[in-house]
Amino acid sequence: MKIKALNGFKDILPDEVLLWRRVEENARTVLQRFHFAEIRLPVLEKTELFSRSIGADTDIVEKEMYTFVDKQITMRPEATASLMRSYIEHSMHGLRPVQRLFTIGPMFRHERPQKGRLRQFHQLDVEVLGSASPRLDAELMSLGESLFAELGVATSLEINSLGCPDCRPEYRRVLLAFIEERLDQLCEDCQRRSVRNPLRVLDCKKEGCRRQVEEAPSVIDYLCEGCAVHFTEVRRNLELLQVEYRVNKFMVRGLDYYVRTTFEFLTDQLGAQSAVCAGGRYDGLIEMLGGPKIPGIGFAMGI
């Protein structure tokens, strides 16, 4: 009997490695142009790092992480939390007030393998720590656009604002009332999410659920003054940089740490409309993990 690779894990063969190297080398060239420095992070972290940052009630933490329960360590499901841990541990904010960092490597999630989804997958992760300026949000999206242009991949950009801890509770209340009227029409996952994190109901990919939330209230209509001004400035700076975008009021993130700006790059060159890059702002994450009160924003691109 032949021993094959585990389900959801894939060899990268020599001919494919040439393509991988092209992606990675182009990424490094563009990132150097934007003054980013590379950081390399361990694959294993304490489980608490992900449960605290990503959110204990998210699908990732509840169902998808590879965790060694006896040791309470986890193979990283994403890179942002690991990078924040390193940033705090090594007091990198004291070296330079604004840090521009990127890392490339494998992530691990126990998802159902399907086309374009593996249990070991690789990402380019790009983060800027130390600035709350909306100009930086637009700059990062311009960087993403440059990356895909260098690779010859046609993409479209969608953006949204998720508000902040000041304005999100009122939107959550209104959204929950809307969802409760349609609860029996939603899938089991969305019924569970409605109690713990109703925003994630908007992100369900099942057609029946998508139809039910078509008329859902938009978080943009409930932004506080600070978040509204920030989102207006992000849009203005995107236009100054001549970066085309579309506002998608249903865009949310599956991770709890995001606030304000969120964005995705989509392409139809993979056979279906697919997100190939996603990110956003997470101004409270460093403080949540025991570091100083420092804002941050970043994105991850699947390789």
Side-chain angles (χ1 to χ4, degrees):
M1 177 179 167
K2 291 182 180 178
I3 300 175
K4 296 184 177 181
L6 291 169
N7 192 23
F9 293 77
K10 182 180 182 295
D11 298 314
I12 302 167
L13 301 178
D15 287 349
E16 295 174 302
V17 168
L18 296 176
L19 296 173
W20 281 68
R21 285 180 60 183
R22 181 188 163 207
V23 173
E24 292 170 1
E25 287 165 7
N26 279 11
R28 286 188 170 93
T29 298
V30 172
L31 287 160
Q32 285 169 8
R33 201 181 301 156
F34 283 77
H35 302 286
F36 280 79
E38 185 171 3
I39 183 170
R40 301 192 181 188
L41 303 164
V43 169
L44 285 173
E45 298 275 7
K46 291 182 179 178
T47 302
E48 183 188 9
L49 174 66
F50 303 115
S51 60
R52 284 175 59 186
S53 61
I54 297 172
D57 293 331
T58 59
D59 285 351
I60 295 173
V61 172
E62 283 190 334
K63 300 189 292 187
E64 297 172 0
M65 295 201 311
Y66 283 100
T67 296
F68 299 87
V69 179
D70 58 330
K71 301 292 186 184
Q72 283 301 298
I73 55 176
T74 296
M75 298 174 75
R76 63 182 183 197
E78 57 100 42
T80 300
S82 293
L83 197 148
M84 296 306 106
R85 190 268 312 148
S86 180
Y87 175 82
I88 295 165
E89 182 175 343
H90 300 288
S91 301
M92 295 177 74
H93 61 281
L95 303 176
R96 195 175 298 114
V98 177
Q99 288 278 356
R100 294 167 170 256
L101 302 167
F102 76 95
T103 189
I104 299 174
M107 314 295 157
F108 304 86
R109 292 189 196 174
H110 193 269
E111 296 187 272
R112 182 170 61 86
Q114 52 190 297
K115 186 175 181 181
R117 294 235 177 197
L118 293 169
R119 289 174 172 172
Q120 177 179 323
F121 56 98
H122 296 73
Q123 285 186 338
L124 163 67
D125 188 77
V126 178
E127 313 285 356
V128 182
L129 310 171
S131 173
S133 171
R135 287 178 294 180
L136 179 60
D137 302 24
E139 181 193 342
L140 263 193
M141 288 180 251
S142 177
L143 187 161
E145 184 181 66
S146 296
L147 275 172
F148 288 114
E150 293 270 348
L151 294 169
V153 179
T155 58
S156 59
L157 172 64
E158 294 187 350
I159 68 170
N160 195 18
S161 175
L162 296 178
C164 70
D166 291 333
C167 55
R168 201 183 293 172
E170 174 61 13
Y171 173 65
R172 186 183 187 279
R173 184 188 66 77
V174 173
L175 178 62
L176 189 55
F178 175 89
I179 290 169
E180 284 176 345
E181 293 177 0
R182 298 155 177 81
L183 199 59
D184 59 347
Q185 305 297 316
L186 300 177
C187 70
E188 269 187 42
D189 280 343
C190 284
Q191 290 177 4
R192 176 175 53 82
R193 289 168 184 153
S194 70
V195 177
R196 299 177 176 182
N197 191 347
L199 271 73
R200 295 208 51 233
V201 175
L202 301 177
D203 197 37
C204 184
K205 301 299 185 284
K206 294 178 181 175
E207 191 58 37
C209 294
R210 295 188 75 84
R211 284 197 302 271
Q212 291 299 319
V213 300
E214 281 177 354
E215 303 301 322
S218 170
V219 64
I220 294 172
D221 297 329
Y222 292 86
L223 297 179
C224 62
E225 183 179 0
C227 289
V229 169
H230 187 97
F231 194 52
T232 298
E233 282 298 299
V234 170
R235 297 177 67 176
R236 188 178 73 85
N237 279 279
L238 285 172
E239 287 154 14
L240 287 172
L241 291 169
Q242 298 183 321
V243 176
E244 294 184 6
Y245 68 90
R246 182 178 80 87
V247 176
N248 176 0
K249 71 174 187 175
F250 293 118
M251 186 194 301
V252 296
R253 298 258 65 87
L255 292 74
D256 284 356
Y257 53 64
Y258 284 109
V259 296
R260 292 192 169 178
T261 308
T262 185
F263 59 92
E264 288 184 351
F265 284 90
L266 308 173
T267 185
D268 58 8
Q269 292 184 297
L270 299 179
Q273 185 85 334
S274 301
V276 287
C277 175
R281 185 162 280 285
Y282 46 83
D283 291 346
L285 178 58
I286 295 171
E287 190 177 12
M288 183 196 306
L289 293 174
K293 190 174 182 178
I294 290 175
I297 184 171
F299 66 76
M301 183 182 97
I303 298 182

